[in-house]
Amino acid sequence: MCLAVPAKIMEIDGVMALVEVDGVRREGNLTFVPEARIGDYVLIHAGFAIQKWEEADVKEFNDIMSGIELPDEDKA
Amino acid sequence: MNVETVIANVRSISETLNRRLVFMEVCGTHTVSAFRTGLRSLLPDNVSLLSGPGCPVCVTPTGYLDQAIAIARQPGTVIATFGDMLRVPGTESALEKERATGADIRMVYSPMDALNMAKAEPEKTVVFLGVGFETTTPTIAWTIKEACEQGLKNYYVLSAHKTIPEAMMALVSAGDVKLDGFLCPGHVSVITGSEAYKPVCAECGIPCVVAGFEAYDMARGIEMLGKQQMEGKAEVEVEYTRSVTAGGNVEAQKLCVDVFDKSDTEWRGFGVIPQSGLSIADKYNDVDAAIKFKGLEVPEAEDHSACRCGDVLRGICLPPDCPMFGKTCTPSDPVGACMVSSEGSCSAYYKYGQ
Ligand code: SF4
C-alpha cells in the first residue's frame, strides 16, 4: 500500500501537476515537494508527490529494472 | 555490482558468522518484492527473511472494520476507501458484502478523490477510511486540512493511522522472535527520514537498513545488515539513497503534526501499542468520523478463532503453519486480513508458492 512510482512532471497549475508514469498521464499534488518544477522527476504515492528524484536516480532505477549491470563506480 | 555479486557477499558473511541469520522485512511491499523478484530463493540457506507488521490493511483490527461497516449502513453515507479494505472480514460482515446489499462504498486511488466526491455531492456524507502508515498519512492530512479550510461540512476521516518504529520496538520487546536486523520500509522512510529508526537501534540493539524495492536494493540491504552483525554494530544505514534522507520530508511531517495527535492504538496481533497511532487533533474535530459517529452501535469485535494472522504479523509463525492456509483460506475466499491484502504475507506465500 505504500507503493510509490517515479513520474515526470509535465505541467504545473498551482499545487497540482500533470505527471507522466510509464506514458500514462495522471494528476499529482505537489504540496510536499514545493521545489519541484516542470521536467523534474518525483515519486508519486496516492496522488501526491512525496520526494524529488534526480535524473541520475531515475536512470539507475530504470537500469536496475531492466536488469542491466552497472559499473561499480556508478554505485558508490 | 549486480544481484549475484551481492548475494555472494551475503553468503560469505553468513559463513564467516557461522550461524543462522534472520532479517525481518518490515514492509509488505518488500515481502511481495522478495517473492516476485526471486530474491528469497537466491538467499543462502542459513539466511532467512521474515515478514513483519508492515501491511497497513493487515494490521488494522477487526473492530475498525466493524465501525466502518456500521457507518456504511447509515443512510446518505458514502464510504471511500483504498481497495484492499473492501474484502477484509469484520466480525459479522465485510464492506464488500455491505456494498452488494446496497451500501454506497467506493474505491479510490487517492484521498483527494474522496474529497472531490464530497465537494461534488454535498447531499452525501463522505467518510474516508484513513488507513496507512507514514507514507500515506500526509496525503490524508492534506484532505483534512483542505476540507476545513474550504468549510466542507460533509467530509470525514475515520483514522486508523499507525507509525512503524513503535511497532518494530513492540515486536522486539515481546521477545517472541530473535532478529539480526530490520530491513526498513523504503517509502515510509521517505517521509520519516532514516533518523526515525534510531530509537529502534538504541533500544533494541538491532541494525536497521532502509532499502529500496528491487532485488538489488533488498540484497544490498541484507548485505549491509550482515556487515553490521560482523562488526557488532546496531546503526541506521540507508541503501535507498535515491529516495531517503536522514530528516525525511519536512513539509509532510509538519502537516501531520498539525492534523494528528499521537495516541495509543490497537494493531491486529499485537493489541494496543502505546503512542503508535495518530488520531485527528481537536482543532479538526469537525472532520473526525470517530466523533461524528460516536453513538453508533458496533458489535463486540471477534476474530475467526483459528486464523493465525496475528502470529504471522509478529513473525511467530509462517503462513503455511496456519491449518487453513490454502485450504479454507485462499485469496479468492480469504478468512483473514493477511490473505486479503495483496501485500499480506499469506497472500504472498499463496501466490508465489513456498
Ligand atoms: S492463512 Fe488465512 S486464516 Fe491462516 S493466518 Fe493467513 S489469513 Fe489467517
mmCIF file of all heavy atoms in Angstrom, chain A residues 1-4 26 29 31-32 43-48 50-51 53 57 60 64-65 69-70 72 75, chain B residues 1-2 29 82 109-110 112 131-132 135-136 138-139 142 187 190 214 216 242-243 249 252 255 343:
data_model
loop_
_atom_site.group_PDB
_atom_site.id
_atom_site.type_symbol
_atom_site.label_atom_id
_atom_site.label_comp_id
_atom_site.label_asym_id
_atom_site.label_seq_id
_atom_site.Cartn_x
_atom_site.Cartn_y
_atom_site.Cartn_z
ATOM 1 N N MET A 1 0.815 -1.211 0.000
ATOM 2 C CA MET A 1 0.000 0.000 0.000
ATOM 3 C C MET A 1 0.855 1.270 0.000
ATOM 4 O O MET A 1 0.403 2.324 -0.406
ATOM 5 C CB MET A 1 -0.891 -0.008 1.235
ATOM 6 C CG MET A 1 -2.002 0.998 1.135
ATOM 7 S SD MET A 1 -3.129 0.745 2.506
ATOM 8 C CE MET A 1 -3.315 2.403 3.062
ATOM 9 N N CYS A 2 2.097 1.129 0.452
ATOM 10 C CA CYS A 2 2.990 2.286 0.448
ATOM 11 C C CYS A 2 3.726 2.407 -0.879
ATOM 12 O O CYS A 2 4.744 3.082 -0.969
ATOM 13 C CB CYS A 2 3.997 2.184 1.590
ATOM 14 S SG CYS A 2 3.213 2.205 3.192
ATOM 15 N N LEU A 3 3.231 1.730 -1.881
ATOM 16 C CA LEU A 3 3.854 1.758 -3.188
ATOM 17 C C LEU A 3 3.937 3.190 -3.724
ATOM 18 O O LEU A 3 2.993 3.955 -3.584
ATOM 19 C CB LEU A 3 2.995 0.925 -4.148
ATOM 20 C CG LEU A 3 3.751 0.162 -5.210
ATOM 21 C CD1 LEU A 3 4.748 -0.791 -4.565
ATOM 22 C CD2 LEU A 3 2.773 -0.584 -6.093
ATOM 23 N N ALA A 4 5.071 3.527 -4.315
ATOM 24 C CA ALA A 4 5.222 4.838 -4.931
ATOM 25 C C ALA A 4 6.009 4.643 -6.220
ATOM 26 O O ALA A 4 6.856 3.759 -6.297
ATOM 27 C CB ALA A 4 5.960 5.790 -3.986
ATOM 28 N N ARG A 26 -1.305 11.441 -15.230
ATOM 29 C CA ARG A 26 -2.175 11.499 -14.057
ATOM 30 C C ARG A 26 -1.985 12.837 -13.362
ATOM 31 O O ARG A 26 -1.034 13.547 -13.635
ATOM 32 C CB ARG A 26 -1.734 10.482 -12.999
ATOM 33 C CG ARG A 26 -1.645 9.082 -13.362
ATOM 34 C CD ARG A 26 -1.320 8.406 -12.039
ATOM 35 N NE ARG A 26 -1.049 6.985 -12.225
ATOM 36 C CZ ARG A 26 -0.446 6.260 -11.309
ATOM 37 N NH1 ARG A 26 -0.035 6.824 -10.192
ATOM 38 N NH2 ARG A 26 -0.262 4.992 -11.504
ATOM 39 N N ASN A 29 -0.295 15.912 -6.708
ATOM 40 C CA ASN A 29 -0.320 17.077 -5.826
ATOM 41 C C ASN A 29 1.110 17.365 -5.355
ATOM 42 O O ASN A 29 1.803 16.462 -4.862
ATOM 43 C CB ASN A 29 -1.250 16.756 -4.644
ATOM 44 C CG ASN A 29 -1.457 17.935 -3.730
ATOM 45 O OD1 ASN A 29 -0.509 18.594 -3.325
ATOM 46 N ND2 ASN A 29 -2.705 18.194 -3.371
ATOM 47 N N THR A 31 2.170 19.561 -2.973
ATOM 48 C CA THR A 31 2.295 20.228 -1.669
ATOM 49 C C THR A 31 3.571 19.850 -0.913
ATOM 50 O O THR A 31 4.205 20.697 -0.290
ATOM 51 C CB THR A 31 1.081 19.876 -0.780
ATOM 52 O OG1 THR A 31 -0.097 20.293 -1.448
ATOM 53 C CG2 THR A 31 1.163 20.559 0.572
ATOM 54 N N PHE A 32 3.941 18.572 -0.961
ATOM 55 C CA PHE A 32 5.074 18.116 -0.140
ATOM 56 C C PHE A 32 6.427 18.267 -0.845
ATOM 57 O O PHE A 32 7.462 17.980 -0.257
ATOM 58 C CB PHE A 32 4.869 16.663 0.295
ATOM 59 C CG PHE A 32 3.554 16.465 1.002
ATOM 60 C CD1 PHE A 32 2.669 15.468 0.607
ATOM 61 C CD2 PHE A 32 3.185 17.306 2.043
ATOM 62 C CE1 PHE A 32 1.452 15.306 1.246
ATOM 63 C CE2 PHE A 32 1.970 17.158 2.693
ATOM 64 C CZ PHE A 32 1.099 16.153 2.300
ATOM 65 N N LEU A 43 8.541 11.136 -6.902
ATOM 66 C CA LEU A 43 7.981 9.856 -6.504
ATOM 67 C C LEU A 43 6.524 10.125 -6.122
ATOM 68 O O LEU A 43 6.257 10.998 -5.296
ATOM 69 C CB LEU A 43 8.771 9.375 -5.284
ATOM 70 C CG LEU A 43 8.857 7.909 -4.951
ATOM 71 C CD1 LEU A 43 9.330 7.095 -6.140
ATOM 72 C CD2 LEU A 43 9.820 7.718 -3.783
ATOM 73 N N ILE A 44 5.600 9.400 -6.744
ATOM 74 C CA ILE A 44 4.171 9.656 -6.513
ATOM 75 C C ILE A 44 3.546 8.536 -5.678
ATOM 76 O O ILE A 44 3.708 7.351 -5.982
ATOM 77 C CB ILE A 44 3.402 9.734 -7.855
ATOM 78 C CG1 ILE A 44 3.908 10.888 -8.707
ATOM 79 C CG2 ILE A 44 1.895 9.827 -7.629
ATOM 80 C CD1 ILE A 44 3.286 12.222 -8.408
ATOM 81 N N HIS A 45 2.854 8.935 -4.614
ATOM 82 C CA HIS A 45 2.117 7.962 -3.786
ATOM 83 C C HIS A 45 0.712 8.501 -3.523
ATOM 84 O O HIS A 45 0.572 9.622 -3.044
ATOM 85 C CB HIS A 45 2.859 7.748 -2.457
ATOM 86 C CG HIS A 45 2.046 7.002 -1.443
ATOM 87 N ND1 HIS A 45 1.793 5.657 -1.551
ATOM 88 C CD2 HIS A 45 1.414 7.413 -0.323
ATOM 89 C CE1 HIS A 45 1.040 5.272 -0.525
ATOM 90 N NE2 HIS A 45 0.795 6.327 0.233
ATOM 91 N N ALA A 46 -0.287 7.695 -3.830
ATOM 92 C CA ALA A 46 -1.695 8.057 -3.617
ATOM 93 C C ALA A 46 -2.024 9.468 -4.128
ATOM 94 O O ALA A 46 -2.718 10.225 -3.468
ATOM 95 C CB ALA A 46 -2.069 7.914 -2.133
ATOM 96 N N GLY A 47 -1.460 9.803 -5.286
ATOM 97 C CA GLY A 47 -1.798 11.075 -5.906
ATOM 98 C C GLY A 47 -0.961 12.254 -5.435
ATOM 99 O O GLY A 47 -1.184 13.385 -5.855
ATOM 100 N N PHE A 48 0.015 11.999 -4.580
ATOM 101 C CA PHE A 48 0.861 13.078 -4.059
ATOM 102 C C PHE A 48 2.331 12.804 -4.386
ATOM 103 O O PHE A 48 2.794 11.669 -4.265
ATOM 104 C CB PHE A 48 0.741 13.180 -2.532
ATOM 105 C CG PHE A 48 -0.538 13.814 -2.068
ATOM 106 C CD1 PHE A 48 -1.738 13.106 -2.105
ATOM 107 C CD2 PHE A 48 -0.556 15.116 -1.588
ATOM 108 C CE1 PHE A 48 -2.924 13.690 -1.676
ATOM 109 C CE2 PHE A 48 -1.738 15.704 -1.160
ATOM 110 C CZ PHE A 48 -2.924 14.991 -1.192
ATOM 111 N N ILE A 50 5.937 12.784 -3.165
ATOM 112 C CA ILE A 50 6.482 12.756 -1.798
ATOM 113 C C ILE A 50 7.994 12.990 -1.758
ATOM 114 O O ILE A 50 8.561 13.204 -0.705
ATOM 115 C CB ILE A 50 6.123 11.446 -1.051
ATOM 116 C CG1 ILE A 50 6.579 10.209 -1.825
ATOM 117 C CG2 ILE A 50 4.628 11.389 -0.756
ATOM 118 C CD1 ILE A 50 6.450 8.906 -1.035
ATOM 119 N N GLN A 51 8.632 12.969 -2.941
ATOM 120 C CA GLN A 51 10.079 13.165 -2.955
ATOM 121 C C GLN A 51 10.534 13.471 -4.371
ATOM 122 O O GLN A 51 9.980 12.946 -5.321
ATOM 123 C CB GLN A 51 10.763 11.881 -2.446
ATOM 124 C CG GLN A 51 12.270 11.867 -2.491
ATOM 125 C CD GLN A 51 12.905 12.719 -1.414
ATOM 126 O OE1 GLN A 51 12.262 13.065 -0.439
ATOM 127 N NE2 GLN A 51 14.150 13.073 -1.596
ATOM 128 N N TRP A 53 13.272 13.154 -7.325
ATOM 129 C CA TRP A 53 14.348 12.242 -7.730
ATOM 130 C C TRP A 53 15.266 12.959 -8.693
ATOM 131 O O TRP A 53 14.802 13.695 -9.575
ATOM 132 C CB TRP A 53 13.766 11.006 -8.434
ATOM 133 C CG TRP A 53 13.531 9.842 -7.537
ATOM 134 C CD1 TRP A 53 13.357 9.872 -6.182
ATOM 135 C CD2 TRP A 53 13.415 8.469 -7.939
ATOM 136 N NE1 TRP A 53 13.132 8.599 -5.713
ATOM 137 C CE2 TRP A 53 13.169 7.723 -6.762
ATOM 138 C CE3 TRP A 53 13.489 7.792 -9.146
ATOM 139 C CZ2 TRP A 53 12.987 6.344 -6.775
ATOM 140 C CZ3 TRP A 53 13.316 6.422 -9.166
ATOM 141 C CH2 TRP A 53 13.077 5.696 -7.992
ATOM 142 N N ASP A 57 19.147 9.178 -10.691
ATOM 143 C CA ASP A 57 18.479 8.130 -9.926
ATOM 144 C C ASP A 57 17.431 7.420 -10.773
ATOM 145 O O ASP A 57 17.235 6.212 -10.661
ATOM 146 C CB ASP A 57 17.806 8.725 -8.685
ATOM 147 C CG ASP A 57 18.821 9.307 -7.725
ATOM 148 O OD1 ASP A 57 19.966 8.812 -7.721
ATOM 149 O OD2 ASP A 57 18.471 10.249 -6.999
ATOM 150 N N GLU A 60 19.306 5.130 -12.925
ATOM 151 C CA GLU A 60 19.743 3.954 -12.164
ATOM 152 C C GLU A 60 18.570 2.998 -11.954
ATOM 153 O O GLU A 60 18.681 1.795 -12.143
ATOM 154 C CB GLU A 60 20.312 4.389 -10.801
ATOM 155 C CG GLU A 60 20.855 3.231 -9.984
ATOM 156 C CD GLU A 60 21.103 3.608 -8.527
ATOM 157 O OE1 GLU A 60 20.117 3.801 -7.789
ATOM 158 O OE2 GLU A 60 22.265 3.698 -8.144
ATOM 159 N N ILE A 64 18.258 -0.814 -13.191
ATOM 160 C CA ILE A 64 18.008 -1.949 -12.303
ATOM 161 C C ILE A 64 16.788 -2.714 -12.809
ATOM 162 O O ILE A 64 16.784 -3.935 -12.905
ATOM 163 C CB ILE A 64 17.758 -1.477 -10.849
ATOM 164 C CG1 ILE A 64 19.038 -0.894 -10.255
ATOM 165 C CG2 ILE A 64 17.287 -2.638 -9.990
ATOM 166 C CD1 ILE A 64 18.841 -0.252 -8.894
ATOM 167 N N MET A 65 15.778 -1.944 -13.186
ATOM 168 C CA MET A 65 14.541 -2.567 -13.653
ATOM 169 C C MET A 65 14.767 -3.416 -14.893
ATOM 170 O O MET A 65 14.164 -4.447 -15.069
ATOM 171 C CB MET A 65 13.487 -1.486 -13.977
ATOM 172 C CG MET A 65 12.936 -0.766 -12.778
ATOM 173 S SD MET A 65 12.163 -1.874 -11.622
ATOM 174 C CE MET A 65 10.533 -1.988 -12.357
ATOM 175 N N GLU A 69 23.641 -4.410 -15.952
ATOM 176 C CA GLU A 69 24.663 -4.290 -14.910
ATOM 177 C C GLU A 69 25.267 -2.892 -14.898
ATOM 178 O O GLU A 69 25.478 -2.293 -15.944
ATOM 179 C CB GLU A 69 25.780 -5.277 -15.199
ATOM 180 C CG GLU A 69 25.884 -6.343 -14.133
ATOM 181 C CD GLU A 69 27.093 -7.192 -14.368
ATOM 182 O OE1 GLU A 69 28.191 -6.713 -14.043
ATOM 183 O OE2 GLU A 69 26.929 -8.303 -14.879
ATOM 184 N N LEU A 70 25.529 -2.390 -13.721
ATOM 185 C CA LEU A 70 26.113 -1.060 -13.624
ATOM 186 C C LEU A 70 27.585 -1.168 -13.274
ATOM 187 O O LEU A 70 27.975 -2.044 -12.514
ATOM 188 C CB LEU A 70 25.423 -0.257 -12.510
ATOM 189 C CG LEU A 70 23.966 0.089 -12.752
ATOM 190 C CD1 LEU A 70 23.380 0.645 -11.461
ATOM 191 C CD2 LEU A 70 23.844 1.115 -13.853
ATOM 192 N N ASP A 72 30.807 -0.475 -11.213
ATOM 193 C CA ASP A 72 30.903 -0.288 -9.761
ATOM 194 C C ASP A 72 30.917 1.166 -9.326
ATOM 195 O O ASP A 72 30.244 1.546 -8.387
ATOM 196 C CB ASP A 72 32.174 -0.968 -9.225
ATOM 197 C CG ASP A 72 31.870 -2.412 -8.877
ATOM 198 O OD1 ASP A 72 30.696 -2.816 -9.066
ATOM 199 O OD2 ASP A 72 32.787 -3.113 -8.447
ATOM 200 N N LYS A 75 27.851 3.071 -8.626
ATOM 201 C CA LYS A 75 27.046 2.614 -7.495
ATOM 202 C C LYS A 75 27.482 3.243 -6.181
ATOM 203 O O LYS A 75 26.824 3.100 -5.165
ATOM 204 C CB LYS A 75 27.198 1.086 -7.373
ATOM 205 C CG LYS A 75 26.193 0.348 -8.194
ATOM 206 C CD LYS A 75 24.909 0.321 -7.430
ATOM 207 C CE LYS A 75 23.739 0.052 -8.335
ATOM 208 N NZ LYS A 75 22.537 0.613 -7.745
ATOM 209 N N MET B 1 28.241 -3.582 -9.707
ATOM 210 C CA MET B 1 27.787 -4.728 -8.902
ATOM 211 C C MET B 1 26.398 -5.174 -9.321
ATOM 212 O O MET B 1 25.571 -4.353 -9.658
ATOM 213 C CB MET B 1 27.762 -4.327 -7.422
ATOM 214 C CG MET B 1 28.918 -4.929 -6.690
ATOM 215 S SD MET B 1 28.742 -5.136 -4.942
ATOM 216 C CE MET B 1 28.265 -3.575 -4.321
ATOM 217 N N ASN B 2 26.179 -6.466 -9.320
ATOM 218 C CA ASN B 2 24.836 -6.939 -9.615
ATOM 219 C C ASN B 2 24.328 -7.818 -8.456
ATOM 220 O O ASN B 2 25.045 -8.060 -7.481
ATOM 221 C CB ASN B 2 24.802 -7.702 -10.942
ATOM 222 C CG ASN B 2 25.743 -8.888 -10.914
ATOM 223 O OD1 ASN B 2 26.160 -9.336 -9.842
ATOM 224 N ND2 ASN B 2 26.077 -9.394 -12.079
ATOM 225 N N THR B 29 5.352 -4.336 0.935
ATOM 226 C CA THR B 29 5.826 -4.225 -0.448
ATOM 227 C C THR B 29 7.142 -4.986 -0.601
ATOM 228 O O THR B 29 7.397 -5.615 -1.627
ATOM 229 C CB THR B 29 6.002 -2.744 -0.845
ATOM 230 O OG1 THR B 29 4.838 -2.023 -0.437
ATOM 231 C CG2 THR B 29 6.155 -2.590 -2.340
ATOM 232 N N PHE B 82 -9.327 2.877 0.057
ATOM 233 C CA PHE B 82 -8.396 2.150 -0.801
ATOM 234 C C PHE B 82 -8.957 0.736 -0.947
ATOM 235 O O PHE B 82 -9.568 0.189 -0.010
ATOM 236 C CB PHE B 82 -7.002 2.099 -0.165
ATOM 237 C CG PHE B 82 -6.343 3.451 -0.051
ATOM 238 C CD1 PHE B 82 -5.833 3.893 1.168
ATOM 239 C CD2 PHE B 82 -6.213 4.279 -1.161
ATOM 240 C CE1 PHE B 82 -5.209 5.137 1.276
ATOM 241 C CE2 PHE B 82 -5.591 5.529 -1.045
ATOM 242 C CZ PHE B 82 -5.091 5.954 0.164
ATOM 243 N N TYR B 109 -8.281 5.920 -5.551
ATOM 244 C CA TYR B 109 -6.840 5.769 -5.728
ATOM 245 C C TYR B 109 -6.101 6.742 -4.808
ATOM 246 O O TYR B 109 -5.039 6.451 -4.281
ATOM 247 C CB TYR B 109 -6.511 6.006 -7.200
ATOM 248 C CG TYR B 109 -5.110 6.465 -7.476
ATOM 249 C CD1 TYR B 109 -4.034 5.576 -7.372
ATOM 250 C CD2 TYR B 109 -4.846 7.782 -7.830
ATOM 251 C CE1 TYR B 109 -2.742 5.996 -7.609
ATOM 252 C CE2 TYR B 109 -3.559 8.209 -8.074
ATOM 253 C CZ TYR B 109 -2.507 7.316 -7.964
ATOM 254 O OH TYR B 109 -1.229 7.755 -8.190
ATOM 255 N N SER B 110 -6.744 7.904 -4.595
ATOM 256 C CA SER B 110 -6.130 8.941 -3.765
ATOM 257 C C SER B 110 -7.189 9.525 -2.833
ATOM 258 O O SER B 110 -8.352 9.642 -3.212
ATOM 259 C CB SER B 110 -5.587 10.052 -4.666
ATOM 260 O OG SER B 110 -5.313 11.222 -3.902
ATOM 261 N N MET B 112 -7.596 12.446 -2.309
ATOM 262 C CA MET B 112 -8.131 13.634 -2.996
ATOM 263 C C MET B 112 -9.423 13.287 -3.737
ATOM 264 O O MET B 112 -10.319 14.119 -3.858
ATOM 265 C CB MET B 112 -7.108 14.168 -4.013
ATOM 266 C CG MET B 112 -6.026 15.010 -3.393
ATOM 267 S SD MET B 112 -4.987 15.798 -4.656
ATOM 268 C CE MET B 112 -4.150 14.387 -5.372
ATOM 269 N N VAL B 131 -6.540 4.664 6.554
ATOM 270 C CA VAL B 131 -5.703 3.542 6.952
ATOM 271 C C VAL B 131 -4.358 3.711 6.273
ATOM 272 O O VAL B 131 -4.317 4.029 5.086
ATOM 273 C CB VAL B 131 -6.359 2.211 6.497
ATOM 274 C CG1 VAL B 131 -5.398 1.049 6.632
ATOM 275 C CG2 VAL B 131 -7.625 1.958 7.296
ATOM 276 N N GLY B 132 -3.286 3.488 6.999
ATOM 277 C CA GLY B 132 -1.983 3.570 6.358
ATOM 278 C C GLY B 132 -0.904 4.035 7.319
ATOM 279 O O GLY B 132 -1.188 4.516 8.410
ATOM 280 N N THR B 135 3.775 6.892 5.060
ATOM 281 C CA THR B 135 3.770 7.271 3.642
ATOM 282 C C THR B 135 2.438 7.906 3.268
ATOM 283 O O THR B 135 2.382 8.892 2.536
ATOM 284 C CB THR B 135 3.932 6.020 2.744
ATOM 285 O OG1 THR B 135 4.732 5.071 3.411
ATOM 286 C CG2 THR B 135 4.517 6.382 1.409
ATOM 287 N N THR B 136 1.365 7.298 3.753
ATOM 288 C CA THR B 136 0.018 7.662 3.338
ATOM 289 C C THR B 136 -0.586 8.774 4.204
ATOM 290 O O THR B 136 -1.388 9.577 3.727
ATOM 291 C CB THR B 136 -0.884 6.405 3.415
ATOM 292 O OG1 THR B 136 -0.172 5.310 2.835
ATOM 293 C CG2 THR B 136 -2.183 6.601 2.663
ATOM 294 N N PRO B 138 0.328 11.711 5.371
ATOM 295 C CA PRO B 138 0.317 13.119 4.950
ATOM 296 C C PRO B 138 -0.708 13.400 3.863
ATOM 297 O O PRO B 138 -1.267 14.504 3.807
ATOM 298 C CB PRO B 138 1.735 13.350 4.420
ATOM 299 C CG PRO B 138 2.542 12.185 4.804
ATOM 300 C CD PRO B 138 1.649 11.075 5.188
ATOM 301 N N THR B 139 -0.954 12.430 2.990
ATOM 302 C CA THR B 139 -1.894 12.663 1.885
ATOM 303 C C THR B 139 -3.305 12.839 2.443
ATOM 304 O O THR B 139 -4.085 13.646 1.945
ATOM 305 C CB THR B 139 -1.868 11.503 0.858
ATOM 306 O OG1 THR B 139 -2.451 10.325 1.431
ATOM 307 C CG2 THR B 139 -0.464 11.189 0.401
ATOM 308 N N TRP B 142 -3.626 16.181 4.332
ATOM 309 C CA TRP B 142 -3.854 17.288 3.395
ATOM 310 C C TRP B 142 -5.352 17.463 3.135
ATOM 311 O O TRP B 142 -5.864 18.588 3.134
ATOM 312 C CB TRP B 142 -3.097 17.039 2.080
ATOM 313 C CG TRP B 142 -3.184 18.184 1.114
ATOM 314 C CD1 TRP B 142 -2.376 19.276 1.062
ATOM 315 C CD2 TRP B 142 -4.153 18.356 0.070
ATOM 316 N NE1 TRP B 142 -2.774 20.115 0.044
ATOM 317 C CE2 TRP B 142 -3.860 19.584 -0.572
ATOM 318 C CE3 TRP B 142 -5.234 17.596 -0.386
ATOM 319 C CZ2 TRP B 142 -4.604 20.064 -1.649
ATOM 320 C CZ3 TRP B 142 -5.987 18.077 -1.450
ATOM 321 C CH2 TRP B 142 -5.673 19.299 -2.073
ATOM 322 N N HIS B 187 9.400 3.537 1.508
ATOM 323 C CA HIS B 187 8.588 4.730 1.288
ATOM 324 C C HIS B 187 8.049 5.358 2.572
ATOM 325 O O HIS B 187 7.769 6.553 2.600
ATOM 326 C CB HIS B 187 7.484 4.427 0.268
ATOM 327 C CG HIS B 187 8.061 4.163 -1.098
ATOM 328 N ND1 HIS B 187 7.531 3.271 -1.980
ATOM 329 C CD2 HIS B 187 9.171 4.670 -1.692
ATOM 330 C CE1 HIS B 187 8.292 3.255 -3.082
ATOM 331 N NE2 HIS B 187 9.287 4.085 -2.918
ATOM 332 N N VAL B 190 10.822 7.684 3.307
ATOM 333 C CA VAL B 190 10.875 8.910 2.503
ATOM 334 C C VAL B 190 10.282 10.047 3.333
ATOM 335 O O VAL B 190 10.793 11.158 3.360
ATOM 336 C CB VAL B 190 10.072 8.751 1.185
ATOM 337 C CG1 VAL B 190 9.883 10.101 0.499
ATOM 338 C CG2 VAL B 190 10.769 7.778 0.253
ATOM 339 N N GLU B 214 13.754 -3.066 -5.386
ATOM 340 C CA GLU B 214 14.209 -4.018 -6.394
ATOM 341 C C GLU B 214 15.050 -5.086 -5.724
ATOM 342 O O GLU B 214 15.521 -4.899 -4.602
ATOM 343 C CB GLU B 214 15.020 -3.281 -7.473
ATOM 344 C CG GLU B 214 14.226 -2.191 -8.166
ATOM 345 C CD GLU B 214 12.827 -2.647 -8.556
ATOM 346 O OE1 GLU B 214 12.692 -3.747 -9.127
ATOM 347 O OE2 GLU B 214 11.872 -1.917 -8.269
ATOM 348 N N TYR B 216 17.981 -5.995 -6.287
ATOM 349 C CA TYR B 216 19.317 -5.477 -5.976
ATOM 350 C C TYR B 216 19.304 -4.673 -4.681
ATOM 351 O O TYR B 216 20.154 -4.863 -3.809
ATOM 352 C CB TYR B 216 19.829 -4.597 -7.134
ATOM 353 C CG TYR B 216 21.136 -3.933 -6.808
ATOM 354 C CD1 TYR B 216 22.339 -4.604 -7.006
ATOM 355 C CD2 TYR B 216 21.163 -2.645 -6.251
ATOM 356 C CE1 TYR B 216 23.542 -4.007 -6.668
ATOM 357 C CE2 TYR B 216 22.365 -2.043 -5.915
ATOM 358 C CZ TYR B 216 23.553 -2.725 -6.125
ATOM 359 O OH TYR B 216 24.737 -2.148 -5.776
ATOM 360 N N ARG B 242 18.379 7.006 -3.270
ATOM 361 C CA ARG B 242 17.741 7.844 -4.280
ATOM 362 C C ARG B 242 16.433 8.437 -3.762
ATOM 363 O O ARG B 242 15.892 9.344 -4.360
ATOM 364 C CB ARG B 242 17.550 7.102 -5.598
ATOM 365 C CG ARG B 242 16.766 5.824 -5.538
ATOM 366 C CD ARG B 242 16.741 5.145 -6.932
ATOM 367 N NE ARG B 242 15.981 3.913 -6.884
ATOM 368 C CZ ARG B 242 16.491 2.736 -6.535
ATOM 369 N NH1 ARG B 242 17.766 2.647 -6.210
ATOM 370 N NH2 ARG B 242 15.734 1.663 -6.506
ATOM 371 N N SER B 243 15.920 7.929 -2.641
ATOM 372 C CA SER B 243 14.668 8.485 -2.123
ATOM 373 C C SER B 243 14.733 8.959 -0.678
ATOM 374 O O SER B 243 13.930 9.774 -0.257
ATOM 375 C CB SER B 243 13.563 7.429 -2.192
ATOM 376 O OG SER B 243 13.213 7.152 -3.503
ATOM 377 N N ASN B 249 10.810 14.038 4.709
ATOM 378 C CA ASN B 249 10.079 15.122 4.069
ATOM 379 C C ASN B 249 9.459 16.026 5.135
ATOM 380 O O ASN B 249 8.437 15.715 5.745
ATOM 381 C CB ASN B 249 8.986 14.555 3.150
ATOM 382 C CG ASN B 249 8.319 15.630 2.327
ATOM 383 O OD1 ASN B 249 8.004 16.707 2.835
ATOM 384 N ND2 ASN B 249 8.105 15.363 1.057
ATOM 385 N N ALA B 252 5.775 17.344 4.769
ATOM 386 C CA ALA B 252 4.770 16.321 5.097
ATOM 387 C C ALA B 252 4.698 16.100 6.610
ATOM 388 O O ALA B 252 3.614 15.972 7.182
ATOM 389 C CB ALA B 252 5.105 15.019 4.377
ATOM 390 N N LEU B 255 2.776 18.942 8.359
ATOM 391 C CA LEU B 255 1.329 18.837 8.175
ATOM 392 C C LEU B 255 0.746 17.755 9.094
ATOM 393 O O LEU B 255 -0.313 17.942 9.709
ATOM 394 C CB LEU B 255 1.002 18.532 6.705
ATOM 395 C CG LEU B 255 -0.481 18.493 6.382
ATOM 396 C CD1 LEU B 255 -1.134 19.855 6.591
ATOM 397 C CD2 LEU B 255 -0.722 18.029 4.942
ATOM 398 N N GLU B 343 -0.533 -7.301 -0.271
ATOM 399 C CA GLU B 343 0.760 -7.199 0.411
ATOM 400 C C GLU B 343 0.835 -8.061 1.657
ATOM 401 O O GLU B 343 1.825 -8.050 2.377
ATOM 402 C CB GLU B 343 1.029 -5.748 0.812
ATOM 403 C CG GLU B 343 1.219 -4.868 -0.382
ATOM 404 C CD GLU B 343 1.596 -3.465 0.018
ATOM 405 O OE1 GLU B 343 1.506 -3.133 1.212
ATOM 406 O OE2 GLU B 343 1.977 -2.717 -0.875
#
